[in-house]
Amino acid sequence: MNSDKSARGNASQFFVAGELCRRGYCAVVTLGNTPNTDILCSNLAGTRFVHIQVKTFVPGRRTCSVGQKAERNFGDNFFWVLGGIPEPGSARPFEYYVIPDSVMAENVTRAHQQWLATAGAKGQARNETTVRTVHLPPFTSVSGWDVTEFRDRWELIEAKLNAS
């Protein structure tokens, strides 16, 4: 099971890098050798760069796990891409949500704080946890955040790479 998760995560990084290359950019999968960056992407001239953190989910699932680092704002040149990689043989399409780091940090932090402030299923106080998730359409987080507007928003990355 764990190797399946690892293989799916690797596949997602390569699919995201492939999409960026298809759009005319240089995208390199870091293979875990760069902290907080799964893909380093530049324009063809190599004068502008963005860092991309990729998280993988199976299309049709309710959430995508992102972890505590999603609460940290790494800056304007950092993006999250939630990559929905269908199971082999599935008729579901690939799904990508391209989310600026500042938007991710703000919304994941707010949702987690609201989750902590609500009572658990049996009325008990919730305990702090390292788990952080993003709800996928048609679902929204406890804070009401809906990531629908970020579906296939590759132009957010392209704007950073083509800025003058």
Side-chain angles (χ1 to χ4, degrees):
M1 184 72 164
N2 200 15
S3 64
D4 288 345
K5 182 179 176 184
S6 178
R8 179 174 298 285
N10 290 340
S12 184
Q13 291 177 31
F14 284 106
F15 279 116
V16 170
E19 180 61 29
L20 291 161
C21 290
R22 188 178 77 86
R23 293 169 176 274
Y25 301 99
C26 296
V28 178
V29 177
T30 65
L31 302 173
N33 293 317
T34 307
N36 306 313
T37 303
D38 292 324
I39 298 170
L40 187 58
C41 184
S42 74
N43 59 12
L44 289 178
T47 57
R48 302 236 182 258
F49 292 86
V50 296
H51 301 258
I52 301 167
Q53 182 72 44
V54 178
K55 292 298 178 184
T56 308
F57 67 93
V58 176
R61 300 266 168 94
R62 186 179 186 103
T63 61
C64 177
S65 293
V66 293
Q68 282 182 297
K69 80 168 78 171
E71 292 185 315
R72 184 169 171 210
N73 187 344
F74 290 99
D76 290 342
N77 287 343
F78 283 78
F79 290 87
W80 289 76
V81 176
L82 307 181
I85 309 303
E87 299 280 356
S90 171
R92 287 191 171 270
F94 287 76
E95 295 178 26
Y96 300 102
Y97 296 90
V98 180
I99 305 171
D101 185 59
S102 60
V103 173
M104 179 69 83
E106 176 186 339
N107 284 286
V108 168
T109 299
R110 185 173 63 238
H112 183 68
Q113 292 305 314
Q114 286 183 347
W115 177 82
L116 278 174
T118 62
K122 297 177 184 172
Q124 79 281 12
R126 295 187 191 269
N127 294 323
E128 182 59 72
T129 175
T130 60
V131 174
R132 303 293 186 274
T133 59
V134 173
H135 284 74
L136 302 164
F139 305 102
T140 59
S141 74
V142 66
S143 67
W145 187 36
D146 179 359
V147 299
T148 301
E149 70 179 287
F150 296 102
R151 178 131 189 211
D152 294 323
R153 294 292 305 276
W154 300 103
E155 76 274 8
L156 297 174
I157 292 173
E158 293 174 322
K160 289 290 181 186
L161 295 174
N162 297 320
S164 43

Coordinates of all heavy atoms in Angstrom, one line a residue, residues 33-117:
N33 N 15.3 16.1 -3.5 CA 16.6 16.7 -3.1 C 16.5 18.2 -2.8 O 17.5 18.8 -2.5 CB 17.6 16.5 -4.3 CG 17.9 15.0 -4.4 OD1 18.1 14.3 -3.4 ND2 17.9 14.5 -5.7
T34 N 15.3 18.8 -2.9 CA 15.2 20.2 -2.6 C 14.1 20.4 -1.6 O 12.9 20.0 -1.8 CB 14.8 21.0 -3.9 OG1 15.8 20.6 -4.9 CG2 14.8 22.4 -3.7
P35 N 14.4 21.0 -0.4 CA 13.4 21.2 0.6 C 12.2 22.0 0.1 O 12.4 23.0 -0.6 CB 14.1 21.9 1.7 CG 15.5 21.6 1.5 CD 15.7 21.5 0.0
N36 N 11.0 21.6 0.4 CA 9.8 22.3 0.0 C 9.5 22.5 -1.5 O 8.7 23.3 -1.8 CB 9.8 23.7 0.8 CG 10.0 23.5 2.2 OD1 9.3 22.7 2.9 ND2 10.9 24.3 2.8
T37 N 10.2 21.9 -2.3 CA 10.1 22.0 -3.7 C 10.1 20.6 -4.4 O 11.1 20.0 -4.4 CB 11.2 22.9 -4.3 OG1 11.2 24.2 -3.7 CG2 11.0 23.1 -5.8
D38 N 9.0 20.3 -5.0 CA 9.0 19.0 -5.8 C 9.3 19.2 -7.2 O 9.9 18.4 -7.9 CB 7.5 18.4 -5.7 CG 7.2 17.9 -4.4 OD1 8.1 17.4 -3.7 OD2 6.0 18.0 -4.0
I39 N 9.0 20.4 -7.7 CA 9.3 20.8 -9.1 C 9.9 22.2 -9.1 O 9.3 23.1 -8.5 CB 8.1 20.7 -10.0 CG1 7.5 19.3 -10.1 CG2 8.4 21.2 -11.4 CD1 6.2 19.2 -10.7
L40 N 11.0 22.4 -9.8 CA 11.5 23.7 -10.0 C 11.3 24.0 -11.5 O 11.6 23.2 -12.4 CB 13.0 23.7 -9.7 CG 13.7 25.1 -9.8 CD1 13.1 26.1 -8.8 CD2 15.2 24.9 -9.4
C41 N 10.6 25.1 -11.7 CA 10.2 25.5 -13.1 C 10.7 26.9 -13.5 O 10.7 27.8 -12.7 CB 8.7 25.4 -13.2 SG 8.0 25.7 -14.8
S42 N 11.2 27.0 -14.7 CA 11.7 28.3 -15.2 C 11.1 28.6 -16.6 O 10.7 27.7 -17.3 CB 13.2 28.3 -15.2 OG 13.7 27.6 -16.3
N43 N 11.2 29.8 -17.0 CA 11.0 30.2 -18.4 C 12.1 29.7 -19.2 O 13.2 29.2 -18.6 CB 10.7 31.7 -18.5 CG 11.9 32.5 -18.1 OD1 13.0 32.0 -17.9 ND2 11.7 33.8 -18.0
L44 N 12.0 29.7 -20.5 CA 13.1 29.1 -21.4 C 14.4 29.8 -21.2 O 15.5 29.2 -21.4 CB 12.6 29.0 -22.8 CG 11.5 28.0 -23.1 CD1 11.1 28.0 -24.6 CD2 12.0 26.6 -22.7
A45 N 14.3 31.1 -20.9 CA 15.6 31.9 -20.8 C 16.3 31.6 -19.5 O 17.4 32.0 -19.3 CB 15.2 33.4 -20.9
G46 N 15.6 31.0 -18.5 CA 16.1 30.7 -17.2 C 16.3 32.0 -16.4 O 17.1 32.0 -15.4
T47 N 15.4 33.0 -16.6 CA 15.5 34.2 -15.9 C 14.5 34.3 -14.8 O 14.6 35.2 -13.9 CB 15.4 35.4 -16.8 OG1 14.2 35.3 -17.5 CG2 16.6 35.5 -17.8
R48 N 13.5 33.5 -14.8 CA 12.4 33.5 -13.8 C 12.1 32.1 -13.4 O 12.0 31.2 -14.2 CB 11.1 34.1 -14.3 CG 11.3 35.5 -14.8 CD 10.4 36.5 -14.1 NE 10.5 37.8 -14.6 CZ 11.1 38.8 -14.0 NH1 11.7 38.5 -12.9 NH2 11.2 40.0 -14.5
F49 N 11.9 31.9 -12.0 CA 11.7 30.6 -11.5 C 10.5 30.5 -10.6 O 10.2 31.5 -9.9 CB 12.9 30.1 -10.7 CG 14.1 29.9 -11.5 CD1 15.0 30.9 -11.8 CD2 14.4 28.6 -12.0 CE1 16.1 30.7 -12.6 CE2 15.6 28.4 -12.7 CZ 16.4 29.4 -13.1
V50 N 9.9 29.4 -10.5 CA 8.9 29.1 -9.5 C 9.1 27.8 -8.8 O 9.7 26.9 -9.5 CB 7.4 29.2 -10.0 CG1 7.0 30.6 -10.5 CG2 7.2 28.1 -11.0
H51 N 8.8 27.7 -7.6 CA 8.9 26.4 -6.8 C 7.5 25.8 -6.7 O 6.5 26.6 -6.4 CB 9.4 26.7 -5.4 CG 10.8 27.3 -5.4 ND1 11.9 26.6 -5.2 CD2 11.1 28.6 -5.7 CE1 13.0 27.4 -5.3 NE2 12.5 28.7 -5.6
I52 N 7.4 24.5 -6.9 CA 6.0 23.9 -6.9 C 6.1 22.7 -5.9 O 7.0 21.9 -6.0 CB 5.6 23.5 -8.3 CG1 5.6 24.7 -9.2 CG2 4.3 22.7 -8.2 CD1 5.5 24.3 -10.7
Q53 N 5.1 22.7 -5.0 CA 4.9 21.6 -4.1 C 3.7 20.8 -4.7 O 2.6 21.4 -4.9 CB 4.7 22.1 -2.7 CG 4.5 21.0 -1.7 CD 5.8 20.3 -1.4 OE1 6.8 20.9 -1.2 NE2 5.7 19.0 -1.3
V54 N 3.9 19.5 -4.9 CA 2.8 18.7 -5.5 C 2.2 17.8 -4.4 O 3.0 17.1 -3.7 CB 3.3 17.9 -6.7 CG1 2.2 17.0 -7.3 CG2 3.9 18.8 -7.8
K55 N 0.9 17.7 -4.4 CA 0.2 16.8 -3.5 C -0.7 16.0 -4.4 O -1.4 16.6 -5.2 CB -0.5 17.4 -2.3 CG 0.5 18.0 -1.3 CD 1.4 17.0 -0.7 CE 2.4 17.6 0.3 NZ 3.3 16.6 0.8
T56 N -0.9 14.7 -4.1 CA -1.6 13.8 -5.0 C -2.9 13.3 -4.3 O -2.9 13.1 -3.1 CB -0.7 12.6 -5.3 OG1 0.5 13.1 -5.8 CG2 -1.4 11.7 -6.3
F57 N -3.9 13.2 -5.1 CA -5.2 12.6 -4.6 C -5.8 11.8 -5.8 O -5.4 11.9 -6.9 CB -6.2 13.7 -4.2 CG -6.7 14.6 -5.3 CD1 -7.8 14.4 -6.0 CD2 -6.0 15.8 -5.6 CE1 -8.3 15.2 -7.0 CE2 -6.4 16.6 -6.6 CZ -7.6 16.3 -7.3
V58 N -6.7 11.0 -5.4 CA -7.5 10.2 -6.4 C -8.8 10.9 -6.7 O -9.5 11.3 -5.8 CB -7.8 8.8 -5.8 CG1 -8.7 8.0 -6.8 CG2 -6.5 8.0 -5.5
P59 N -9.0 11.3 -8.0 CA -10.2 12.0 -8.3 C -11.5 11.3 -7.8 O -11.6 10.1 -7.8 CB -10.2 12.0 -9.9 CG -8.8 12.0 -10.2 CD -8.2 11.1 -9.2
G60 N -12.4 12.1 -7.2 CA -13.6 11.5 -6.6 C -13.5 11.5 -5.1 O -14.5 11.3 -4.5
R61 N -12.3 11.6 -4.6 CA -12.1 11.6 -3.1 C -12.5 12.9 -2.6 O -12.5 13.9 -3.3 CB -10.7 11.2 -2.7 CG -10.2 9.9 -3.2 CD -10.4 8.8 -2.1 NE -10.3 7.5 -2.6 CZ -9.1 6.8 -2.6 NH1 -8.1 7.3 -2.1 NH2 -9.1 5.6 -3.1
R62 N -12.8 13.0 -1.3 CA -13.3 14.2 -0.7 C -12.2 15.2 -0.3 O -12.4 16.4 -0.4 CB -14.0 13.8 0.6 CG -14.7 14.9 1.3 CD -15.4 14.4 2.6 NE -16.2 15.4 3.2 CZ -17.5 15.6 3.1 NH1 -18.2 14.7 2.4 NH2 -18.1 16.6 3.7
T63 N -11.0 14.7 0.0 CA -9.9 15.6 0.4 C -8.6 15.2 -0.2 O -8.4 14.1 -0.7 CB -9.7 15.6 2.0 OG1 -9.4 14.2 2.4 CG2 -11.0 16.1 2.7
C64 N -7.6 16.1 0.0 CA -6.2 15.9 -0.4 C -5.4 16.3 0.8 O -5.5 17.4 1.3 CB -5.8 16.7 -1.6 SG -4.1 16.6 -2.1
S65 N -4.6 15.4 1.3 CA -3.7 15.7 2.4 C -2.5 16.6 2.0 O -1.9 16.3 1.0 CB -3.1 14.4 3.0 OG -4.2 13.7 3.6
V66 N -2.3 17.6 2.8 CA -1.2 18.6 2.4 C -0.2 18.7 3.5 O 0.9 19.2 3.3 CB -1.7 19.9 2.0 CG1 -2.5 19.8 0.7 CG2 -2.6 20.6 3.1
G67 N -0.5 18.4 4.8 CA 0.5 18.5 5.9 C 0.6 19.9 6.4 O 0.1 20.8 5.9
Q68 N 1.4 20.0 7.5 CA 1.5 21.2 8.2 C 2.2 22.3 7.4 O 2.0 23.5 7.6 CB 2.3 21.0 9.5 CG 1.5 20.4 10.6 CD 2.4 20.3 11.9 OE1 3.3 19.5 11.9 NE2 2.0 21.0 12.9
K69 N 3.1 21.9 6.5 CA 3.9 22.9 5.8 C 3.0 23.8 4.9 O 3.3 24.9 4.5 CB 5.0 22.3 4.9 CG 4.6 21.7 3.6 CD 5.8 21.3 2.8 CE 6.5 20.1 3.2 NZ 7.5 19.6 2.2
A70 N 1.7 23.3 4.7 CA 0.8 24.1 3.9 C 0.4 25.4 4.6 O -0.1 26.3 4.0 CB -0.5 23.3 3.6
E71 N 0.6 25.4 5.9 CA 0.3 26.6 6.7 C 1.4 27.7 6.6 O 1.2 28.9 7.0 CB 0.1 26.3 8.2 CG -1.1 25.5 8.4 CD -1.4 25.3 9.9 OE1 -0.4 24.9 10.6 OE2 -2.5 25.4 10.3
R72 N 2.5 27.4 6.0 CA 3.7 28.3 6.0 C 3.7 29.0 4.6 O 3.6 28.3 3.6 CB 5.0 27.5 6.2 CG 6.2 28.4 6.2 CD 7.4 27.7 6.7 NE 8.5 28.5 6.5 CZ 9.7 28.1 6.3 NH1 10.0 26.8 6.2 NH2 10.7 28.9 6.1
N73 N 3.8 30.3 4.6 CA 3.9 31.1 3.4 C 5.4 31.2 3.0 O 6.1 31.9 3.6 CB 3.3 32.5 3.6 CG 3.2 33.2 2.3 OD1 3.8 32.9 1.3 ND2 2.4 34.3 2.3
F74 N 5.7 30.5 1.9 CA 7.1 30.5 1.4 C 7.4 31.7 0.5 O 8.5 31.9 0.1 CB 7.4 29.2 0.7 CG 7.5 28.0 1.7 CD1 6.4 27.2 1.8 CD2 8.6 27.8 2.4 CE1 6.4 26.1 2.7 CE2 8.7 26.7 3.3 CZ 7.6 25.9 3.4
G75 N 6.4 32.4 0.0 CA 6.6 33.5 -0.8 C 5.8 33.5 -2.2 O 5.2 32.5 -2.5
D76 N 6.0 34.6 -2.9 CA 5.2 34.7 -4.1 C 5.6 33.8 -5.3 O 4.8 33.6 -6.2 CB 5.3 36.2 -4.7 CG 4.6 37.2 -3.8 OD1 3.7 36.7 -3.0 OD2 4.9 38.4 -3.9
N77 N 6.8 33.2 -5.2 CA 7.2 32.3 -6.3 C 7.0 30.8 -5.9 O 7.6 30.0 -6.6 CB 8.7 32.6 -6.6 CG 8.8 33.9 -7.4 OD1 7.8 34.4 -7.9 ND2 10.0 34.4 -7.5
F78 N 6.2 30.6 -4.9 CA 5.8 29.2 -4.5 C 4.4 28.9 -4.8 O 3.5 29.7 -4.6 CB 6.1 29.0 -3.0 CG 7.6 28.8 -2.7 CD1 8.4 29.9 -2.6 CD2 8.1 27.6 -2.5 CE1 9.7 29.8 -2.3 CE2 9.4 27.4 -2.2 CZ 10.3 28.6 -2.1
F79 N 4.1 27.7 -5.4 CA 2.8 27.3 -5.7 C 2.6 25.9 -5.2 O 3.5 25.1 -5.1 CB 2.6 27.3 -7.2 CG 2.5 28.7 -7.8 CD1 3.7 29.3 -8.2 CD2 1.3 29.3 -8.0 CE1 3.6 30.6 -8.7 CE2 1.2 30.6 -8.5 CZ 2.4 31.2 -8.9
W80 N 1.3 25.5 -5.0 CA 0.9 24.2 -4.7 C 0.1 23.7 -5.9 O -0.7 24.4 -6.4 CB 0.0 24.1 -3.5 CG 0.7 24.4 -2.2 CD1 1.2 25.6 -1.7 CD2 1.1 23.4 -1.2 NE1 1.8 25.4 -0.5 CE2 1.8 24.1 -0.2 CE3 1.0 22.0 -1.1 CZ2 2.3 23.4 0.9 CZ3 1.5 21.4 0.0 CH2 2.1 22.1 1.0
V81 N 0.4 22.5 -6.3 CA -0.5 21.9 -7.4 C -1.0 20.6 -6.7 O -0.2 19.7 -6.4 CB 0.3 21.6 -8.7 CG1 -0.6 20.8 -9.7 CG2 0.8 22.9 -9.3
L82 N -2.3 20.5 -6.6 CA -3.0 19.3 -6.2 C -3.3 18.5 -7.4 O -4.0 19.0 -8.3 CB -4.3 19.6 -5.4 CG -4.1 20.6 -4.2 CD1 -5.5 20.8 -3.6 CD2 -3.1 20.2 -3.3
G83 N -2.6 17.3 -7.5 CA -2.7 16.5 -8.7 C -3.6 15.3 -8.5 O -3.3 14.4 -7.8
G84 N -4.8 15.3 -9.2 CA -5.7 14.2 -9.2 C -5.3 13.2 -10.2 O -5.6 13.5 -11.4
I85 N -4.7 12.1 -9.8 CA -4.3 11.1 -10.7 C -5.2 9.9 -10.7 O -5.3 9.2 -9.6 CB -2.8 10.6 -10.4 CG1 -1.9 11.8 -10.2 CG2 -2.3 9.6 -11.4 CD1 -1.8 12.7 -11.4
P86 N -6.0 9.6 -11.7 CA -7.0 8.6 -11.7 C -6.3 7.2 -11.6 O -5.2 7.0 -12.0 CB -7.7 8.7 -13.0 CG -7.2 9.8 -13.7 CD -6.0 10.3 -13.0
E87 N -7.1 6.3 -11.0 CA -6.6 4.9 -10.9 C -6.5 4.3 -12.3 O -7.3 4.7 -13.2 CB -7.6 4.0 -10.1 CG -7.9 4.4 -8.7 CD -6.8 3.9 -7.8 OE1 -5.9 3.2 -8.2 OE2 -6.8 4.3 -6.6
P88 N -5.5 3.4 -12.6 CA -5.5 2.8 -13.9 C -6.8 2.2 -14.3 O -7.4 1.6 -13.5 CB -4.4 1.8 -13.8 CG -3.5 2.3 -12.6 CD -4.5 3.0 -11.7
G89 N -7.2 2.4 -15.5 CA -8.5 1.9 -16.0 C -9.7 2.7 -15.7 O -10.8 2.4 -16.1
S90 N -9.5 3.8 -14.9 CA -10.6 4.7 -14.5 C -11.0 5.6 -15.7 O -10.1 6.0 -16.5 CB -10.2 5.6 -13.3 OG -11.2 6.6 -13.1
A91 N -12.3 5.9 -15.8 CA -12.7 6.8 -16.8 C -12.6 8.2 -16.4 O -12.9 9.2 -17.1 CB -14.2 6.5 -17.2
R92 N -12.3 8.5 -15.1 CA -12.2 9.8 -14.6 C -11.0 10.5 -15.2 O -9.9 9.9 -15.5 CB -12.0 9.8 -13.1 CG -13.2 9.4 -12.3 CD -13.0 9.7 -10.8 NE -14.2 9.6 -10.1 CZ -15.0 10.6 -9.8 NH1 -14.8 11.8 -10.3 NH2 -16.1 10.4 -9.1
P93 N -11.1 11.8 -15.5 CA -10.0 12.6 -16.0 C -9.0 13.0 -15.0 O -9.3 13.0 -13.8 CB -10.7 13.9 -16.6 CG -11.9 14.0 -15.7 CD -12.3 12.6 -15.4
F94 N -7.8 13.4 -15.4 CA -6.8 14.0 -14.5 C -7.4 15.4 -14.0 O -8.1 16.0 -14.8 CB -5.5 14.2 -15.2 CG -4.7 13.0 -15.4 CD1 -5.1 12.1 -16.5 CD2 -3.6 12.6 -14.7 CE1 -4.4 10.9 -16.7 CE2 -2.9 11.5 -14.9 CZ -3.3 10.6 -15.9
E95 N -7.1 15.7 -12.8 CA -7.5 17.0 -12.3 C -6.3 17.7 -11.6 O -5.5 17.1 -11.0 CB -8.5 16.8 -11.1 CG -9.8 16.2 -11.5 CD -10.8 16.0 -10.3 OE1 -10.6 16.8 -9.3 OE2 -11.6 15.1 -10.4
Y96 N -6.2 19.0 -11.9 CA -5.1 19.8 -11.3 C -5.7 21.1 -10.7 O -6.5 21.8 -11.3 CB -4.1 20.2 -12.4 CG -3.5 19.0 -13.0 CD1 -3.8 18.6 -14.3 CD2 -2.5 18.3 -12.3 CE1 -3.2 17.5 -14.9 CE2 -1.9 17.2 -12.9 CZ -2.3 16.8 -14.2 OH -1.7 15.7 -14.8
Y97 N -5.3 21.4 -9.5 CA -5.6 22.7 -8.8 C -4.3 23.4 -8.5 O -3.5 22.9 -7.8 CB -6.4 22.4 -7.5 CG -7.7 21.7 -7.8 CD1 -7.9 20.4 -7.8 CD2 -8.9 22.5 -8.1 CE1 -9.1 19.8 -8.1 CE2 -10.1 21.9 -8.4 CZ -10.2 20.5 -8.4 OH -11.4 19.9 -8.7
V98 N -4.2 24.5 -9.2 CA -2.9 25.3 -9.1 C -3.2 26.5 -8.1 O -4.0 27.4 -8.4 CB -2.5 25.9 -10.4 CG1 -1.2 26.7 -10.3 CG2 -2.4 24.7 -11.4
I99 N -2.6 26.4 -6.9 CA -2.9 27.3 -5.8 C -1.7 28.1 -5.4 O -0.7 27.5 -5.0 CB -3.5 26.6 -4.6 CG1 -4.7 25.7 -5.1 CG2 -3.9 27.5 -3.5 CD1 -5.3 24.8 -4.1
P100 N -1.7 29.4 -5.4 CA -0.6 30.2 -4.9 C -0.4 29.9 -3.4 O -1.3 29.6 -2.7 CB -1.1 31.7 -5.1 CG -2.1 31.6 -6.1 CD -2.8 30.3 -6.0
D101 N 0.9 29.9 -3.0 CA 1.2 29.5 -1.7 C 0.6 30.4 -0.6 O 0.1 29.9 0.4 CB 2.8 29.6 -1.5 CG 3.2 29.1 -0.2 OD1 3.0 27.9 0.2 OD2 3.9 29.9 0.6
S102 N 0.5 31.7 -0.8 CA -0.2 32.5 0.2 C -1.6 32.2 0.4 O -2.1 32.2 1.5 CB 0.0 34.0 -0.2 OG -0.6 34.2 -1.5
V103 N -2.3 31.8 -0.7 CA -3.7 31.4 -0.6 C -3.8 30.1 0.2 O -4.7 30.0 1.0 CB -4.4 31.3 -2.0 CG1 -5.8 30.8 -1.9 CG2 -4.3 32.7 -2.7
M104 N -3.0 29.2 -0.1 CA -3.0 27.9 0.6 C -2.7 28.1 2.0 O -3.5 27.6 2.9 CB -1.9 27.0 0.0 CG -1.8 25.6 0.6 SD -3.2 24.5 0.4 CE -2.8 23.9 -1.2
A105 N -1.7 28.9 2.4 CA -1.3 29.1 3.8 C -2.5 29.7 4.6 O -2.8 29.2 5.7 CB -0.1 29.9 3.9
E106 N -3.0 30.7 4.0 CA -4.1 31.4 4.7 C -5.3 30.5 5.0 O -5.9 30.4 6.1 CB -4.6 32.6 3.9 CG -5.7 33.4 4.5 CD -6.2 34.5 3.6 OE1 -5.5 35.0 2.7 OE2 -7.4 34.9 3.8
N107 N -5.7 29.8 3.9 CA -7.0 29.0 4.0 C -6.8 27.7 4.8 O -7.7 27.3 5.6 CB -7.5 28.7 2.6 CG -8.2 29.9 2.1 OD1 -9.3 30.3 2.5 ND2 -7.5 30.6 1.1
V108 N -5.6 27.1 4.7 CA -5.4 25.8 5.5 C -5.3 26.2 7.0 O -5.8 25.5 7.8 CB -4.1 25.1 5.0 CG1 -3.7 24.0 5.9 CG2 -4.4 24.5 3.6
T109 N -4.6 27.3 7.3 CA -4.5 27.7 8.7 C -5.8 28.0 9.2 O -6.2 27.6 10.3 CB -3.6 29.0 8.8 OG1 -2.3 28.6 8.3 CG2 -3.5 29.5 10.2
R110 N -6.6 28.8 8.5 CA -8.0 29.2 9.0 C -8.9 27.9 9.2 O -9.5 27.8 10.2 CB -8.6 30.2 8.1 CG -10.0 30.7 8.6 CD -10.6 31.8 7.8 NE -10.9 31.3 6.5 CZ -10.5 31.9 5.4 NH1 -9.6 32.9 5.4 NH2 -10.8 31.4 4.2
A111 N -8.9 27.0 8.2 CA -9.7 25.8 8.4 C -9.2 25.0 9.5 O -10.1 24.5 10.3 CB -9.6 25.0 7.1
H112 N -7.9 24.8 9.7 CA -7.5 24.0 10.9 C -7.8 24.6 12.2 O -8.3 23.9 13.1 CB -5.9 23.8 10.8 CG -5.4 22.9 11.8 ND1 -5.7 21.6 11.9 CD2 -4.7 23.1 12.9 CE1 -5.2 21.0 12.9 NE2 -4.5 22.0 13.6
Q113 N -7.7 26.0 12.3 CA -8.0 26.6 13.6 C -9.5 26.5 13.8 O -9.9 26.3 15.0 CB -7.6 28.1 13.5 CG -6.1 28.3 13.5 CD -5.4 27.6 14.7 OE1 -5.9 27.7 15.8 NE2 -4.4 26.9 14.4
Q114 N -10.4 26.6 12.8 CA -11.8 26.4 13.0 C -12.1 25.0 13.4 O -13.0 24.7 14.2 CB -12.6 26.8 11.8 CG -12.6 28.3 11.6 CD -13.4 28.8 10.4 OE1 -13.8 28.0 9.6 NE2 -13.7 30.1 10.4
W115 N -11.4 24.0 12.8 CA -11.7 22.6 13.1 C -11.3 22.4 14.6 O -12.0 21.7 15.3 CB -10.8 21.7 12.2 CG -10.9 20.3 12.5 CD1 -11.9 19.4 12.1 CD2 -10.0 19.5 13.3 NE1 -11.6 18.1 12.6 CE2 -10.5 18.2 13.3 CE3 -8.8 19.8 14.0 CZ2 -9.8 17.2 14.0 CZ3 -8.1 18.8 14.6 CH2 -8.6 17.5 14.7
L116 N -10.2 22.9 15.0 CA -9.8 22.7 16.4 C -10.8 23.4 17.4 O -11.0 22.8 18.5 CB -8.4 23.4 16.7 CG -7.2 22.6 16.3 CD1 -5.9 23.5 16.5 CD2 -7.0 21.3 17.1
A117 N -11.4 24.4 17.0 CA -12.3 25.2 17.8 C -13.7 24.5 18.0 O -14.5 24.8 18.8 CB -12.5 26.6 17.3

